[in-house]
Amino acid sequence: MPAGVVAICGGIGGAKLALGLYRVLAPRALSVIVNCGDDFEHLGLRICPDLDTTLYTLAGLANTERGWGRRDETWAFMDALGSLGGPTWFRLGDKDVALHVERTRRLATGEPLSAIIAEFAARLGVNAAIAPMSDDPIRTRVGTPEGELDFQDYFVRLRCAPRITAVTFDGAAAAQPSPGAIAALGGARAIVICPSNPYLSIDPILAVPGMRALLRARGAPVIAVSPIVGGDAVKGPTAKIMRELGVPSTPAAIARHYAGLLDGFVLDARDQASARDFDCPVHVTDTLMKRLGDRERLAREVLTFASSLAQARY
Ligand code: GDP
């Protein structure tokens, strides 16, 4: 699979596979379209958690133990903020703050988010295109029995404890795909929906008007990798949300969630017994990405699967 691979991704789970793809593909062959429904304004700054996780991961700067932020961080800013009585529930390391300050400054001059991220990626030595799903503001909100919550209130402050009754994407109806997303999908030879949370990370991307049509436009095979392994999420609330929404927390339910989009599904070997529950071709393998080698192996297998699906069409 030489060029034109597009990864659709959220934060931690998605960025793991995006890194695998990045490392096994030729320079510039990968484009990553990233969720920005969890972006928010905090301390006067625009924070883009999934975009930044992807950027730091591909740049080799991510803190892989924590799963967010940069490695080799210092915390002088947070400590000083706390001593002044400021809000410290959303942790921001010193180097990370520099990125938020610079992004916010440039956004205030009218520059689009996608241009800023593209330049950050180039400056940090990333040889892949990283594009927000849209330059327009889209904000994920979760419905709970106690009322609606902003995404980061739910995700970080309340640690995903409230029961979710609905997920909405404010602003999505008026948004457009970013120029980077349009360009990436226009040249796509294979599209990989990474093992991200379908409800909180992938749905906001698919909610941008025109995005689903762009995904299907070139006839490139679309493959999803299961974020459910052994009947549960590896990390985070994916399985919990599925149960709360009355959906079985199974890989087949994830595939049904992406109905109309998928040409293939990558199923974890621990869930092999469910392989017959799918309407599309399935590739069964170990999808747990603990080490770098796991990410590269899974990326190679996903690309080989995509090639086989593309060839089967002709
Ligand atoms: P977030 O925005 O930081 O929550 O990250 P994502 O939405 O990108 O990823 C969350 C999903 O990644 C969860 O459903 C996890 O089960 C899944 N995930 C995390 N690590 C792995 C892994 O190694 N393999 C697979 N298959 N899924 C993973």
Side-chain angles (χ1 to χ4, degrees):
M1 190 65 59
V5 175
V6 180
I8 311 280
C9 101
I12 298 170
K16 282 188 191 173
L17 183 58
L19 178 62
L21 291 165
Y22 179 55
R23 290 179 58 94
V24 304
L25 285 164
R28 308 241 149 257
L30 177 69
S31 300
V32 193
I33 301 175
V34 187
N35 172 42
C36 36
D38 57 355
D39 290 10
F40 71 130
E41 309 289 329
H42 184 60
L43 300 167
L45 303 173
R46 170 76 70 82
I47 317 255
C48 306
D50 284 358
L51 265 176
D52 298 347
T53 295
T54 306
L55 179 65
Y56 291 150
T57 300
L58 297 195
L61 296 174
N63 183 310
T64 46
E65 278 118 65
R66 248 194 342 256
W68 51 268
R70 287 179 67 146
R71 62 176 159 77
D72 305 325
E73 265 295 9
T74 52
W75 299 94
F77 171 77
M78 270 285 122
D79 292 345
L81 183 68
S83 73
L84 296 170
T88 55
W89 61 272
F90 197 90
R91 311 285 299 159
L92 296 169
D94 297 334
K95 296 190 183 89
D96 195 26
V97 167
L99 182 141
H100 305 312
V101 168
E102 178 59 5
R103 170 169 44 219
T104 306
R105 182 188 72 76
R106 289 172 65 164
L107 284 170
T109 69
E111 234 183 300
L113 179 62
S114 53
I116 300 169
I117 293 298
E119 195 189 324
F120 286 175
R123 284 184 177 270
L124 295 177
V126 176
N127 254 320
I130 301 178
M133 60 199 195
S134 177
D135 282 327
D136 303 314
I138 299 171
R139 295 291 175 265
T140 302
R141 291 175 61 78
V142 297
T144 76
E146 285 76 44
E148 272 214 332
L149 290 170
D150 286 340
F151 180 77
Q152 297 299 343
D153 261 355
Y154 163 79
F155 200 72
V156 179
R157 197 173 61 79
L158 299 171
R159 296 170 191 219
C160 309
R163 179 162 69 84
I164 281 194
T165 53
V167 185
T168 54
F169 310 110
D170 279 10
Q176 292 185 341
S178 69
I182 294 171
L185 292 169
R189 303 266 313 262
I191 300 170
V192 182
I193 302 180
C194 289
S196 289
N197 186 317
Y199 301 89
L200 302 179
S201 294
I202 303 296
D203 279 0
I205 302 175
L206 300 177
V208 178
M211 193 66 88
R212 281 173 177 269
L214 283 171
L215 252 74
R216 302 281 359 166
R218 289 225 349 155
V222 180
I223 293 171
V225 179
S226 183
I228 294 287
V229 174
D232 210 346
V234 179
K235 197 170 186 288
T238 303
K240 175 178 177 281
I241 292 171
M242 293 174 89
R243 290 190 294 268
E244 289 167 353
L245 294 176
V247 178
S249 56
T250 62
I254 302 269
R256 280 195 295 278
H257 188 77
Y258 295 136
L261 280 181
L262 292 189
D263 297 295
F265 191 87
V266 178
L267 176 68
D268 193 89
R270 294 158 191 84
D271 303 301
Q272 181 157 22
S274 69
R276 69 181 86 83
D277 301 341
F278 291 80
D279 294 335
C280 62
V282 170
H283 175 73
V284 182
T285 187
D286 181 359
T287 70
L288 257 195
M289 294 173 281
K290 289 194 191 133
R291 290 175 235 290
L292 198 50
D294 304 330
R295 301 170 192 211
E296 294 174 359
R297 178 197 44 78
L298 182 57
R300 281 198 193 92
E301 288 190 37
V302 168
L303 295 172
T304 305
F305 184 37
S307 291
S308 72
L309 292 173
Q311 275 162 16
R313 290 215 182 132
Y314 300 105

